[in-house]
Amino acid sequence: MAIASPVLHECSECPIRHRAVCARCEPVELDALSRIKFYKTYAAGQTIAIRGEPLETVASIVRGTATLTRSIEDGRTQLVGLLLPSDFIGRPGRSEAQYDVTAVTELTLCCFHRKPFEELLEAMPHVRERLLEMALDELDAARDWMLLLGRKTARERIASLLALIVKRSIRPDGGIMGDKGRVELPITRETMANYLGLTIETVSRQLTRLRKDGIIQLEGKRTILIPDFGALLAETGDDDDGGMIF
Amino acid sequence: MAIASPVLHECSECPIRHRAVCARCEPVELDALSRIKFYKTYAAGQTIAIRGEPLETVASIVRGTATLTRSIEDGRTQLVGLLLPSDFIGRPGRSEAQYDVTAVTELTLCCFHRKPFEELLEAMPHVRERLLEMALDELDAARDWMLLLGRKTARERIASLLALIVKRSIRPDGGIMGDKGRVELPITRETMANYLGLTIETVSRQLTRLRKDGIIQLEGKRTILIPDFGALLAETGDDDDGGMIF
DNA sequence: CGGGGTATTGACCCAAGTCAATATCTGTGG
DNA sequence: CCACAGATATTGACTTGGGTCAATACCCCG
C-alpha cells in the first residue's frame, strides 16, 4: 500500500522547504543545517517520544501525520496538537519531551541532534524568526481549540474539526481536494474523540446526525463528502468563516 | 484603595525587568527600547483590545492582571490566557488583535508602537529569543489547559485552578504567600467559570464541596485557605505535582 | 438602610458518558 | 477465494455530571 519513500538528500527538493523552520534560510544557512540533518521513518502507530523522557532530537515532519497528547494515568487522553508536514517537534533548550508524540500515519522526519542544532541556531536568525512565527501560530491554534473544548457542543466540535481538515487539506499546494468537498479523514474515530474531548460513541452519533441532516455524506468510514461547505461552517458555532472564500 | 502608582521611567527599576521580553537585553538594547516606550494605565474592567480590530500597540504588563478571551455571539465565552506582570500583549507582524483583552485589576502597561518596535526587533536578538521562550511557555500552558478543558471533571478543574494560583502567587519574589496556604483569589467566580469552561453555579457548588470535604476553607468570598496543599494536588487529577516541593 | 453587583443553593433537565450488543472493515493464512 | 480474527465503528438503553432557571443570601458602598 505504502509507496516506497524516496530517500531525500537535497533540501532544494524537500517538499516542506518553504514552510518548515528552514523556510527563510539563506543557501549558506541551509547548507549548515543540511550537514547535520538525518532522516528517520516511523510506522503508523509508533511512539516517537514519551512525556518526561529525554529527547535529544528535534525534527521537522517531512511526510505523514503525528499527534501530541497529554494524558492522565486513568486513561483519559487529550490530543493537544496535530502535527502535519512542516511542523516542528521538540523545543530548543529543553531536553525532556513535554508530550507524548505518536505517528498516526507512516512518518518521515528530518532530524537534528539537539545540541548541534542549538549551536547552529545561535547563528541563524532566520530559523529563530521562523520558529517564533510557528510557535505563535500554534499558540493561536491551541487557543481556538480551548474555545472549542470549553464551550462548544459535540455537534459544533465535529463540524469544526471537519472544517479544519478541509481547510488544511487545501492549503499545501492548492489541488489535493479534487472532487469538490471530498475529504479523506487522516485519523480514526478514537483520535477524533481525543482531539475533541469527546468519546468515540459521541463522535459516531454526531457524524450520523450530521449525515441525516444532510450536512455531510459518509463514503465508507474514512471518506466524507461535504456538498455545501457553508452549511458545514454554519454548524461550527464560529461567527466568522475564518477568512475562507469559495 | 489603590495606592497611587509611581510613574516609572528607569528600566533598571522596573519590577518586570528580568522576566519580560527585555529580560536578556544588554544596556544598549534596553536604551533603545526605553526611548520608544510609554506607560499606560487601565482601570479594572476596561477593554484593552477587541478581536478583529486594529491594534497598533504591543505591550508588557508591568502591574495588574488581564485576560485574553475568545467568544461566540450567543455569549459563550472562553478565557484563553491569563496575563500577569511580565507577560506580553500583541504579536509582532500582526496588526489585528486575535483576542479580546480586558483588564481584570487596575493595570499598568509598558507600551510600544508596533512599527518602531518591530524595526528595533530586527537588531535585538535577545528580545526575539526571549519572545520565543515566552511563546513556547504559553504554548505549554495552553496545552495543559486543553487537557483540563477536554478531560477533567468540574472538581478537578477547580482544584487545578487553585493549585495554579498558589504556585503563581509564590513565584514572583518568593514571599507574598505569608500565612501558609492563604490565597487571595484575583478573579471573580465568573472569570473562574470562563477560565474553566464551566458555569458560575458549578464553580460555586464545587467550591462548597471542596470546603465540606476539608480540602479548602473559605474566608469571605475571595480568600481561600489551603491547610494541606498535597491534598489539593491530589484532587487535580494530575499525575505529577508539577515539580513543586514543600 | 437600601440597591446593585456577586455568590450560594435548590429543583429540574438534558447532553454526553457508560455499558453492552452488533456491525463493518482489514488483513492473514488456508 | 473464503473464513476467521482483531481492530474499528455504529447503535441502543440507561445513567449522570453539569447546565438551566429561579429563589435567596451576602456584601460593599453611598
Side-chain angles (χ1 to χ4, degrees):
Chain A
M1 176 128 298
I3 297 163
S5 63
V7 176
L8 292 169
H9 290 292
E10 293 301 326
C11 287
S12 59
E13 287 167 20
C14 180
I16 57 166
R17 167 71 183 90
H18 51 292
R19 300 202 71 218
V21 281
C22 50
R24 298 221 221 305
C25 282
E26 305 291 334
V28 55
E29 292 172 315
L30 210 54
D31 240 41
L33 276 180
S34 182
R35 224 163 287 131
I36 63 166
K37 81 174 187 231
F38 58 101
Y39 292 98
K40 213 163 164 181
T41 300
Y42 293 83
Q46 259 191 292
T47 297
I48 296 162
I50 296 177
R51 174 175 163 79
E53 301 203 346
L55 181 66
E56 284 302 335
T57 274
V58 298
S60 289
I61 296 191
V62 176
R63 197 177 48 89
T65 307
T67 57
L68 293 183
T69 55
R70 278 285 260 120
S71 47
I72 328 193
E73 318 93 10
D74 65 13
R76 283 178 286 175
T77 298
Q78 178 64 47
L79 216 153
V80 297
L82 191 59
L83 302 176
L84 300 177
S86 85
D87 284 336
F88 190 74
I89 297 175
R91 171 172 172 166
R94 184 178 282 165
S95 59
E96 254 185 25
Q98 286 298 287
Y99 312 100
D100 300 326
V101 187
T102 312
V104 176
T105 62
E106 194 184 297
L107 194 70
T108 305
L109 300 183
C110 173
C111 303
F112 308 92
H113 291 297
R114 202 171 56 80
K115 276 276 175 55
F117 180 79
E118 282 172 16
E119 279 155 20
L120 279 185
L121 208 53
E122 291 296 312
M124 298 201 294
H126 293 108
V127 176
R128 284 214 303 264
E129 182 189 331
R130 180 73 186 122
L131 216 44
L132 174 60
E133 207 173 64
M134 290 170 74
L136 290 171
D137 284 344
E138 284 193 79
L139 189 54
D140 283 344
R143 284 170 167 167
D144 282 352
W145 219 253
M146 286 174 70
L147 175 65
L148 178 147
L149 292 173
R151 295 303 186 193
K152 287 191 181 177
T153 64
R155 165 183 271 242
E156 289 169 339
R157 295 183 199 200
I158 299 286
S160 299
L161 177 59
L162 296 181
L164 180 88
I165 291 173
V166 171
K167 287 179 189 171
R168 282 207 166 171
S169 64
I170 291 171
R171 223 186 283 152
D173 48 2
I176 298 289
M177 207 190 77
D179 311 323
K180 72 162 174 55
R182 167 174 277 112
V183 185
E184 209 48 43
L185 285 183
I187 53 179
T188 69
R189 296 286 186 276
E190 189 183 11
T191 307
M192 292 178 70
N194 287 338
Y195 207 154
L196 300 172
L198 299 170
T199 59
I200 51 174
E201 292 94 329
T202 300
V203 170
S204 198
R205 275 188 258 268
Q206 294 301 331
L207 281 172
T208 41
R209 282 198 49 207
L210 285 172
R211 177 170 56 73
K212 285 181 181 161
D213 293 351
I215 311 289
I216 61 173
Q217 288 151 37
L218 298 175
E219 210 181 72
K221 306 283 176 192
R222 291 296 191 86
T223 306
I224 293 188
L225 291 165
I226 298 159
D228 177 359
F229 191 64
L232 181 65
L233 283 177
E235 297 292 335
T236 62
D238 292 322
D239 33 322
D240 61 1
D241 60 8
M244 299 290 288
I245 303 150
F246 282 92
Chain B
M1 175 127 302
I3 296 164
S5 64
V7 176
L8 292 169
H9 289 293
E10 293 300 327
C11 288
S12 58
E13 287 166 21
C14 180
I16 57 165
R17 168 71 182 87
H18 51 293
R19 299 204 71 217
V21 280
C22 51
R24 298 220 220 305
C25 282
E26 307 290 334
V28 55
E29 291 172 314
L30 210 55
D31 240 41
L33 276 179
S34 181
R35 223 164 287 133
I36 63 166
K37 80 173 188 232
F38 59 101
Y39 292 98
K40 212 161 165 183
T41 299
Y42 293 84
Q46 258 190 292
T47 296
I48 297 162
I50 295 176
R51 172 175 165 80
E53 300 205 346
L55 180 66
E56 284 302 334
T57 275
V58 298
S60 290
I61 297 192
V62 176
R63 198 176 47 89
T65 306
T67 57
L68 293 183
T69 55
R70 277 287 258 118
S71 48
I72 328 193
E73 319 94 8
D74 65 13
R76 284 178 285 175
T77 298
Q78 177 64 47
L79 216 152
V80 297
L82 191 59
L83 301 176
L84 300 177
S86 85
D87 283 336
F88 191 73
I89 297 173
R91 170 172 174 165
R94 184 179 283 165
S95 59
E96 253 185 27
Q98 285 298 289
Y99 312 101
D100 299 326
V101 187
T102 313
V104 176
T105 62
E106 196 183 296
L107 194 70
T108 306
L109 300 183
C110 173
C111 304
F112 308 92
H113 292 298
R114 202 170 56 81
K115 275 277 176 55
F117 180 80
E118 283 171 17
E119 280 154 21
L120 279 185
L121 208 53
E122 291 296 312
M124 297 200 296
H126 293 108
V127 175
R128 284 215 304 264
E129 181 190 331
R130 180 74 186 123
L131 215 45
L132 174 59
E133 207 171 65
M134 291 170 73
L136 291 172
D137 285 343
E138 284 193 81
L139 189 53
D140 283 343
R143 285 169 166 168
D144 283 351
W145 219 253
M146 287 174 72
L147 174 65
L148 178 147
L149 292 172
R151 294 305 188 193
K152 287 191 181 178
T153 65
R155 166 183 269 241
E156 289 170 340
R157 296 184 198 199
I158 298 286
S160 300
L161 177 59
L162 296 181
L164 180 88
I165 291 173
V166 170
K167 287 177 188 172
R168 281 209 166 167
S169 64
I170 291 170
R171 219 187 284 153
D173 47 3
I176 299 287
M177 207 190 77
D179 312 322
K180 71 161 173 58
R182 166 173 276 112
V183 185
E184 209 49 44
L185 284 183
I187 54 179
T188 69
R189 296 286 187 274
E190 189 183 10
T191 308
M192 291 178 69
N194 286 339
Y195 208 153
L196 299 172
L198 300 171
T199 59
I200 52 175
E201 292 96 327
T202 300
V203 169
S204 198
R205 275 188 259 269
Q206 294 300 332
L207 281 171
T208 42
R209 282 197 48 205
L210 285 172
R211 177 171 55 72
K212 286 182 180 160
D213 293 349
I215 311 288
I216 62 173
Q217 288 151 39
L218 298 175
E219 210 181 72
K221 307 282 176 192
R222 290 298 190 87
T223 307
I224 292 188
L225 292 165
I226 298 157
D228 177 359
F229 191 63
L232 180 66
L233 283 178
E235 297 291 336
T236 62
D238 292 322
D239 35 322
D240 61 1
D241 58 8
M244 299 289 289
I245 302 151
F246 280 93

